[in-house]
């Protein structure tokens, strides 16, 4: 059941707020303040506090991070690095040693296989979505601004803004990818399709 899968996979999931430092043009630590610029989702890949998220969520190396973990606590951290061409970023949280994801032994899925994601749509609560794999390949590169990816899994799932960077699991609760975008038609209407960077790229 989805409840059992979420119970097992949920402890690896975090929600993120990314901030840059504004010094107001003056020197001194007291003049610095953090300005939140984006938010999204992520997941723990190492028990020492390393979290993976989408590059367009993390934005830039050195930005500050506030993360709410599955235990309800808030942890601070920093963006370690961003790979814009793969739309991936690595974050290090201080003092967090949670439950890391378990990568799937078989990274390939068949069309119609059940998958589920964890994420937090903007202004909404944590959300688990169930969908079906449409294809392991989109067939062409995608770019938006300085970010993008060479290829992606296509999933029949209606994701929303804020869920980028969230983990995508197979029916056994093992990691198979990371949600990076929602697909829309030429008029901007959602198509009930999402892209996910496959675990082989991660």
């Amino acid at each position: 059941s989805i409840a059992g899968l979420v119970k097992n996979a949920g402890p690896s999931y975090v929600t993120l707020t990314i901030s840059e430092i504004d010094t107001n043009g003056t020197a001194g630590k007291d003049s610095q303040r953090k300005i939140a610029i984006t938010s999204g989702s992520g997941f723990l890949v190492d028990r020492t506090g390393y979290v993976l998220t989408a590059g367009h969520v993390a934005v830039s190396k050195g930005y500050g991070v506030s993360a709410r973990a599955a235990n309800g606590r808030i942890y601070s951290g920093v963006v370690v690095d961003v790979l814009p061409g793969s739309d991936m970023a690595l974050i290090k949280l201080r003092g967090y040693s949670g439950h890391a994801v378990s990568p799937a032994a078989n990274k390939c899925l068949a069309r119609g296989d059940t998958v589920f994601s964890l994420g937090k749509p903007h202004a909404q609560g944590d959300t688990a979505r169930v969908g079906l794999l449409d294809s392991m390949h989109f067939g062409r590169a995608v770019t938006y601004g300085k970010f993008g990816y060479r290829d992606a899994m296509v999933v029949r799932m209606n994701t929303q803004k804020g869920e980028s960077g969230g983990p995508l699991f197979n029916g056994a609760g093992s990691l198979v990818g990371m949600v990076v975008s929602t697909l829309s038609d030429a008029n901007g209407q959602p198509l009930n399709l999402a892209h996910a960077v496959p675990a082989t790229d991660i």
Side-chain angles (χ1 to χ4, degrees):
S1 70
I2 186 64
L5 292 172
V6 171
K7 181 179 179 180
N8 291 333
S12 65
Y13 157 74
V14 296
T15 60
L16 306 166
T17 301
I18 309 298
S19 304
E20 62 178 338
I21 304 298
D22 175 31
T23 60
N24 292 322
T26 59
K29 184 177 180 180
D30 293 339
S31 67
Q32 295 183 353
R33 64 190 180 100
K34 293 182 178 180
I35 302 175
I37 54 173
T38 65
S39 63
S41 306
F43 52 97
L44 195 69
V45 293
D46 183 274
R47 288 184 61 87
T48 61
Y50 283 100
V51 167
L52 198 72
T53 188
H56 70 270
V57 170
V59 183
S60 181
K61 180 179 179 179
Y63 275 15
V65 179
S66 175
R68 181 172 60 81
N71 60 13
R73 294 181 58 185
I74 305 296
Y75 295 85
S76 59
V78 65
V79 178
V80 175
D81 206 356
V82 178
L83 298 178
S86 300
D87 203 6
M88 289 187 286
L90 189 66
I91 288 169
K92 180 65 166 69
L93 301 180
R94 291 184 286 272
Y96 183 48
S97 57
H99 176 76
V101 293
S102 298
N106 183 1
K107 305 298 190 298
C108 292
L109 300 172
R111 185 175 187 182
D113 279 357
T114 299
V115 292
F116 75 96
S117 68
L118 298 175
K120 185 180 185 302
H122 290 164
Q124 298 183 39
D126 296 335
T127 301
R129 297 191 189 278
V130 180
L132 300 175
L133 179 75
D134 191 79
S135 174
M136 285 297 296
H137 301 282
F138 185 54
R140 62 181 176 86
V142 175
T143 58
Y144 31 89
K146 68 176 184 179
F147 299 101
Y149 40 90
R150 296 166 296 177
D151 198 1
M153 302 164 64
V154 182
V155 182
R156 293 201 172 277
M157 182 183 289
N158 186 24
T159 59
Q160 299 180 28
K161 290 184 177 180
E163 295 178 63
S164 290
L168 183 73
F169 300 100
N170 62 16
S174 299
L175 184 79
V176 292
M178 177 180 69
V179 176
V180 286
S181 66
T182 298
L183 303 186
S184 303
D185 64 18
N187 297 316
Q189 297 300 312
L191 293 173
N192 193 36
L193 292 171
H195 275 172
V197 174
T200 48
D201 286 357
I202 294 172

